[in-house]
Amino acid sequence: MNHPPFVLGVDPKPVLTADRSAALVGQQVNYNGAQSTDDNGPIANYAWDLDGDGTFETNTGATPTASRSYDTIGQRAVKLQVTDMYGAKSVTTVNETIHRAPTAAFTATPNPALT
């Protein structure tokens, strides 16, 4: 009977990328953990802390992607926790900066302008 190789003590290696490191309030950010690896086989579960509060509130199962938009400005420490088929877990973090779009303003002098 063939069993998958088991490497005792080797945790999965999470890799987390974002399609942008800075986003505007309300703009969607797409996160990807597809480059995560494990010596024991495929990653069995992807869990996400998308709001940076330390709780992995989003579970995408075997799907290595998640998306989120943010309503307020500030820094977010977004975390990905990967779990292998034996239950070993590892976590990695990316920092996301959320900004407001600038407001454009100008004045013309003289106002009204002469032709």
Side-chain angles (χ1 to χ4, degrees):
M1 175 186 251
N2 270 345
H3 294 286
F6 180 73
V7 181
L8 187 59
V10 177
D11 290 334
K13 295 165 190 68
V15 176
L16 173 57
T17 60
D19 64 349
R20 64 193 80 232
S21 61
L24 298 176
V25 169
Q27 185 177 34
Q28 181 171 295
V29 181
N30 300 305
Y31 299 101
N32 192 324
Q35 296 302 311
S36 300
T37 60
D38 184 60
D39 292 339
N40 299 319
I43 301 297
N45 192 68
Y46 296 84
W48 308 83
D49 174 13
L50 297 173
D51 56 13
D53 69 354
T55 302
F56 294 94
E57 72 280 344
T58 302
N59 185 326
T60 58
T63 302
T65 57
S67 298
R68 167 82 194 251
S69 62
Y70 300 91
D71 297 332
T72 58
I73 62 171
Q75 290 280 88
R76 305 294 188 291
V78 175
K79 294 179 178 68
L80 167 63
Q81 176 181 269
V82 294
T83 306
D84 73 10
M85 59 195 280
Y86 297 105
K89 298 178 181 186
S90 294
V91 175
T92 192
T93 305
V94 297
N95 292 311
E96 192 70 42
T97 303
I98 310 304
H99 298 280
R100 286 202 199 291
T103 303
F106 70 95
T107 59
T109 306
N111 186 6
L114 300 175
T115 56

